[in-house]
Every structure is written in C-alpha cells, then in structure tokens.
Amino acid sequence: MAECGYTLPVWVAAAAVAAVRELLGQPFQAQVPLLLDPEAGLEATAIPVQAAARLGPGRALATSCCDPGEVLDLTRGLQVWVEASWTDAEGEQPWLELLAGEGVGVHAASGEACLSAYARQLLESNLRPLLPDRRGLRLTLTFPEGRQRAARTSNAAFGVVDGLALIGTQALVQRSAAPDQLDQARQELARRSQEPGWSGDLVLVLGENGLDLAPQQGLPPGLLLKAGNWIGPLLVAAAEAGVRRLLLFGYQGKLIKLAGGIFHTHHHLADGRLEILAAQAAQHGCSLEQIRLLLEAASVDQAIAALAERDSALATGLQQRLAAVIEQRARAYLAKHHDAAPQLGAVLFDRSRSICACGPVGAALLEGFRA
C-alpha cells in the first residue's frame, strides 16, 4: 500500500475510464492510465481497477477499490461502481451526465450528485478523448457502503445527504493526521506573519467543510487557515507567529474534544465526545435521566437534539457552556506551552449549517472579523 494514496475522485475516474473502454470493446486493463492534474498536463499515472463487464447493448460496469494509502481515511476499502452508457451529444445537450446511485452523496436541495470542481474536471479530461463523434456519456456512480460511512461524517451539516460526496480537491490524500500537514500549516503561518500589514488575526478552521462554511458566515477568506487535527500544536505555532486574535471555527462534534483536553482530534486517535458532553451536562445541572439520554445518542448532534426536545433552553445553555469551556481549555493549553496569550475564542456550528454556540470571546471575535 502506498504511503500516500489517492482521493475518492481518482478511483471514480479510473472505474469510469475502464467502463468506457469496455463500451468501446477494448481489452480489459487492470491498470488504467489517468491524467491526475489535467491543467498541468502531467504524465498519466496507472491506477488499479478491479473488473469491467458489459451489462447489455450500450451499457458497461467497472469497479475499483479506494486506497488512500497509509493515511487514516474513511474511504479505505470503499467499493466504487461506475455504470457507463451512451447518450446522444447533439445540440446543447451536455456530453457528460452524472447520476448518483446508492451511497453517493447528493445536495439535499437539488438531488444532484455532490462533487468538487476537481472531481468533474478529472472525469471530463480523461473521458472526453475516448468518446466517438456525436456520442455523449451517462455515468451512474454507486458506493455500496457509502450511506453507512457517510453517517460517520458531518456531510449533513453542509446539505449533503444519502452518501459520500466527491469533495476531493486534489489527487493525493491530504494527510490531516500526519506531521507534514502540521508543517505545511506552520509554514503558512510563518509566511503570513512576514507579510506587510499583517494584522495578527487568524481563524483556525477544522476541516474542508468548515472552510466552505466560514466565508458564508462573513469570515474573511484571508484569515482562514485549515487546522486539520493538530489543534494543540497549531495554537502554539500561532502564538509563536505573533497572532493577537485567534478564532477556532468548527463543527461542534469535533471541537467538543477540546473541552475534554483532547488537542489532536482525529477520530482514530482519540474520541470520548459523548462522555465529554455528559460530563459538561452534569456540571450544567442536567438530571441523571437527561445525561443517560445524551450517552445513548449516536452523535453529539443527535444528543443535543434529543435534549432539546425535552428542554430547548437547557440544550441551548449546554451548547453555550461547551463553547465557553472549549475557550478555557484552549487558553489553558496555550499557557502551558507559550508565554504569549492571544485573545482566543470559539465558534461552533451544527449539522444544519448553523452557528449553534459561541464562547464569550468567540462571539466578540466573530463580529469583529465580520466587520
């Protein structure tokens, strides 16, 4: 297995190419050549596929198996099925039509498959040269285990339902749990701190989904820095770089770990989210029955929602308490590792794509950065 493997869009593109080759009557190849960076026009890379077969006249199916390398990733071993069929590419009809099958994430509002610009570009650049004249292509994507795996993500917070989204923005997996990802963030911090007119303001954002939501909440893109899972070391790096005002912006089911003193947040390395929630609920005055309700939930969001059904004010107060405790624990962590003390706040959002809680400092920073 490669040290650093490929993102889900690459495995989808490989299966798609294998399916089209089958439609064209070409011999099956277990290694499909792909242009992974279409804009740069780099040499094609061989990507493994498992099988390809005709399903009937003008229809073929190919499969691949996602391998992200040694990186801990939700897509490891995910089966990818792509069915290809011909369409007519006449007039203004698009030559490529993408349909979301079982396990593929769709936008809740439109029902259309959710994929990044890179995923679409990868498909178009590798498939278009294979098509005969006046032929279009319809691809139906299926991830047999996609729905179950998506339940372990925060996709629903961003309006993506029914499965895994094709949100990769590059070919290689971003190693958010690896030291090189931390080094990249540190280098970016150092670069910003040397820029003329640098304000000393920073928003540490957890995950790609947070990067998507933060600008929509009025946070300037120039202040955003993806934190990955290395929250603690990045807090120290921010202080060393001279950051004066620092805002933590993330999904409540992720940032809650900081309230329990967990400052490396990858789920394979540390969890305890519901236990942390229960501990805070006890200090917030929740009853034993309410605490048991929280512990029986499948996620932080479901736990808060269940509590809100019984007492909405209590649930809201608990979320605000969490945000305040996150701020306190983050400041305490920073004080142990660095003398500088930037103004530090936290803002939490939930699966409905809404800000659900702000710490006392976080609320002030959010308004200040928006202005």
Side-chain angles (χ1 to χ4, degrees):
M1 182 168 54
E3 181 180 350
C4 189
Y6 297 109
T7 59
L8 184 53
V10 171
W11 301 99
V12 170
V17 168
V20 172
R21 287 176 52 86
E22 188 70 24
L23 282 180
L24 295 169
Q26 298 178 4
F28 173 73
Q29 293 181 331
Q31 300 279 332
V32 172
L34 282 186
L35 290 173
L36 299 182
D37 189 349
E39 292 185 348
L42 300 178
E43 184 178 350
T45 302
I47 305 297
V49 292
Q50 292 179 314
R54 279 183 174 268
L55 301 178
R59 295 173 59 221
L61 177 73
T63 66
S64 64
C65 182
C66 188
D67 178 5
E70 294 181 358
V71 177
L72 298 172
D73 193 272
L74 185 71
T75 63
R76 179 183 308 284
L78 178 73
Q79 288 290 315
V80 174
W81 300 356
V82 178
E83 180 183 338
S85 58
W86 298 126
T87 62
D88 293 325
E90 301 288 347
E92 297 182 358
Q93 292 295 324
W95 69 269
L96 180 60
E97 180 183 358
L98 297 176
L99 302 179
E102 173 60 29
V104 176
V106 300
H107 294 287
S110 65
E112 296 180 355
C114 178
L115 72 163
S116 63
Y118 172 75
R120 180 174 288 278
Q121 183 186 43
L122 190 65
L123 287 167
E124 291 178 349
S125 60
N126 283 281
L127 293 173
R128 190 62 183 263
L130 301 177
L131 267 60
D133 291 341
R134 290 190 288 274
R135 285 282 200 181
L137 190 63
R138 178 181 296 115
L139 298 180
T140 302
L141 315 181
T142 299
F143 305 150
E145 299 177 1
R147 191 181 296 266
Q148 297 94 309
R149 298 196 185 201
R152 293 151 53 190
T153 74
S154 57
N155 283 354
F158 301 90
V160 180
V161 297
D162 296 341
L164 293 174
L166 284 166
I167 57 174
T169 57
Q170 61 183 31
L172 294 176
V173 172
Q174 294 182 353
R175 297 162 56 104
S176 63
D180 54 356
Q181 198 276 342
L182 174 60
D183 290 340
Q184 292 172 12
R186 282 174 167 160
Q187 291 171 15
E188 174 61 16
L189 271 172
R191 184 193 67 79
R192 293 188 191 184
S193 68
Q194 300 302 315
E195 288 184 340
W198 185 59
S199 65
D201 293 338
L202 179 70
V203 180
L204 281 182
V205 183
L206 276 69
E208 293 287 341
N209 287 333
L211 282 178
D212 175 74
L213 182 59
Q216 299 178 35
Q217 294 294 330
L219 290 169
L223 299 185
L224 308 182
L225 178 66
K226 183 181 176 183
N229 292 293
W230 297 86
I231 306 300
L234 275 181
L235 289 176
V236 177
E240 292 174 343
V243 170
R244 297 184 302 106
R245 299 193 299 174
L246 192 157
L247 181 65
L248 291 168
F249 183 86
Y251 170 54
Q252 65 177 348
K254 194 81 164 179
L255 273 179
I256 190 175
K257 293 184 180 183
L258 274 62
I262 299 171
F263 284 85
H264 188 299
T265 59
H266 199 288
H267 64 276
H268 284 282
L269 301 179
D271 202 334
R273 288 168 289 185
L274 292 176
E275 291 78 6
I276 295 169
L277 180 63
Q280 293 302 321
Q283 296 188 51
H284 193 60
C286 291
S287 67
L288 182 60
E289 180 184 359
Q290 291 166 333
I291 293 171
R292 186 179 294 113
L293 179 72
L294 298 176
L295 288 171
E296 291 174 350
S299 68
V300 171
D301 274 82
Q302 290 185 17
I304 296 292
L307 182 61
E309 288 182 1
R310 301 191 177 194
D311 190 329
S312 60
L314 186 65
T316 299
L318 178 57
Q319 288 176 299
Q320 290 299 126
R321 178 187 181 87
L322 281 171
V325 172
I326 288 167
E327 290 187 352
Q328 294 167 9
R329 294 300 295 266
R331 286 194 291 268
Y333 177 95
L334 193 51
K336 289 180 181 179
H337 295 88
H338 201 277
D339 293 335
Q343 191 178 4
L344 191 152
V347 172
L348 285 60
F349 59 86
D350 58 22
R351 286 182 182 260
S352 67
R353 252 185 117 77
S354 302
I355 290 177
C356 60
C358 300
V361 179
L365 290 181
L366 180 63
E367 290 306 310
F369 289 167
R370 280 172 169 171

